Amino acid sequence: MRTTMIGLAVTLACSLVAFTMPTSALATGPTLTVSADGGVHVFDRDALLARTDVVEITTSRDVAYRTPRTYRAVALAKLLEGVAIPPDAVVEAVAQDGFVTQLPRDLVYANDGIVAYMAIEAADRPWPLIPGKDKSAGAFYVVWLGDQASSVPTMMWPYQIVSLSVQDAPAKRWPSLAVDPMLPALHPARDGQTLFVNKCFTCHTMNQAGSASAGPDLNLPMNPTEYFTDAGLRALIRDPRSVRIWPDQRMPSFAEEDLSDEELGLILAYLKHMANRKSRATEDGSSKR
C-alpha cells in the first residue's frame, strides 16, 4: 500500500508540473508571448497554425518585402480575443532586435477598410530574407490588409515579433516624454511629440524612458540638436548613409512618403524643446516595465 501511495503522489506531482509549465517550455519552435492585466499567454507557432481561424492572405503593400506576398495568418483582433484593452491603451509589439512599436487600440480593432493580421512563418515553408538584410520577417509579422492599409505607418508593420503586451499610452506610461504642459496648444513640439512616439520611439528612448533598445537615447547625455546642425540632422533622418556609415548601421531612411518635410520639422521642434527638459529621474531603470 505504501508503495502504491508513493507512486500515486509522484504521478500527481508530475501532472501538476506539466499543467503549470509555460507553453514555451514545451514548444519546439518559435513562440509569441501575449500579456495583459498581469496574465501571460505563450503561443506556440505550430499551435497557432493549427487554429481554425487561420486564413491565407495576400498583401498588396508589404513593408518588409516591398512586393505582394501570401501568408498564413490570424486576424490580430482574433488573437487578442478575451484580452481587455482600455480605450486609451496601446498594444506594444517587441521585436527580436529591440525594435518596439505601439499599435493604437482603435487601429487594432478597426474594420472599415483596414484589418491587422499576425502572419506566421511555417517551419516547412520558410520566408525569404528581407531585401538588404540577413534575416526573414518570421516567425511572426504584423501586416495590414484593406483599402486603407497604405495609410498605416511603416513603423506599425513590425516583424520578428517576440511579444505583444497591453500598455498605457506612452506619454502616460512615461511622463518624462511629455513636453512642458505650459506650452501653447498649437506649439509645434506638441505635434512633434506624437510623431516622435510613432516614428522614433520604436528604436530610441527619451530621457531613458521607453522599451526600445535598437538605438541610443535621444536626450541623454546630449540631444542630437546640441551637436548636429539643422541641415545635418535632417539629412541623417532622411538618409543616414549620406551623413555617416558604420558597420552595424540599422537606422532606416525616411522617405517623403513616410515622413513629410513638415512632419520632420515638427520632430526637430520636439527634440529642441526636450533638450531643455533633460530628466535623470529614470536612470535607475524604473521607466522600463
Side-chain angles (χ1 to χ4, degrees):
M1 176 65 73
R2 177 180 174 80
T3 302
T4 302
M5 292 299 293
I6 292 175
L8 287 171
V10 171
T11 300
L12 177 59
C14 290
S15 298
L16 289 173
V17 169
F19 181 77
T20 57
M21 188 179 294
T23 306
S24 57
L26 302 173
T28 57
T31 58
L32 175 69
T33 301
V34 177
S35 56
D37 296 326
V40 177
H41 192 130
V42 182
F43 291 95
D44 172 62
R45 175 184 61 185
D46 296 334
L48 277 178
L49 287 170
R51 287 169 58 123
T52 58
D53 54 3
V54 168
V55 294
E56 188 172 276
I57 61 171
T58 300
T59 58
S60 56
R61 175 207 186 205
D62 195 300
V63 167
Y65 289 103
R66 306 171 201 166
T67 186
R69 284 194 56 81
T70 298
Y71 301 101
R72 294 175 68 189
V74 177
L76 197 55
K78 289 278 189 181
L79 188 63
L80 296 173
E81 211 162 46
V83 175
I85 306 179
D88 60 346
V90 297
V91 176
E92 183 176 85
V94 179
Q96 288 179 13
D97 63 0
F99 178 93
V100 179
T101 192
Q102 321 288 333
L103 306 177
R105 176 188 183 277
D106 291 347
L107 197 57
V108 170
Y109 290 116
N111 291 312
D112 186 16
I114 187 170
V115 181
Y117 284 90
M118 180 64 74
I120 308 161
E121 179 185 37
D124 59 348
R125 297 172 62 185
W127 299 341
L129 299 181
I130 298 170
K133 298 183 182 293
D134 60 357
K135 59 186 177 184
S136 80
F140 306 104
Y141 172 28
V142 172
V143 302
W144 303 82
L145 297 186
D147 296 339
Q148 303 300 317
S150 61
S151 66
V152 179
T154 58
M155 294 300 183
M156 292 184 185
W157 293 68
Y159 50 78
Q160 287 201 331
I161 299 173
V162 294
S163 69
L164 298 173
S165 62
V166 176
Q167 302 286 356
D168 287 332
K172 180 179 179 181
R173 186 177 173 192
W174 295 293
S176 57
L177 286 174
V179 299
D180 186 339
M182 300 305 292
L183 278 183
L186 298 180
H187 194 287
R190 289 189 177 278
D191 287 335
Q193 176 185 318
T194 300
L195 287 165
F196 177 87
V197 169
N198 291 335
K199 304 289 186 178
C200 312
F201 204 49
T202 53
C203 295
H204 299 277
T205 53
M206 168 62 66
N207 283 333
Q208 296 186 341
S211 300
S213 59
D217 190 276
L218 291 183
N219 214 30
L220 299 175
M222 292 184 72
N223 186 297
T225 60
E226 296 177 289
Y227 55 85
F228 268 110
T229 63
D230 185 83
L233 187 50
R234 284 175 180 271
L236 179 72
I237 294 171
R238 278 280 177 241
D239 179 12
R241 290 181 176 276
S242 70
V243 177
R244 56 174 56 147
I245 297 175
W246 61 96
D248 295 324
Q249 188 171 32
R250 290 190 289 173
M251 183 174 174
S253 299
F254 284 90
E256 175 75 22
E257 63 184 40
D258 297 320
L259 184 70
S260 69
D261 284 337
E262 180 183 4
E263 291 173 327
L264 178 51
L266 293 172
I267 289 176
L268 295 186
Y270 171 71
L271 289 174
K272 289 174 184 176
H273 175 73
M274 295 305 290
N276 296 312
R277 287 177 64 79
K278 294 184 191 294
S279 170
R280 298 182 181 275
T282 59
E283 279 190 319
D284 61 357
S286 61
S287 69
K288 297 190 177 185
R289 61 180 176 88

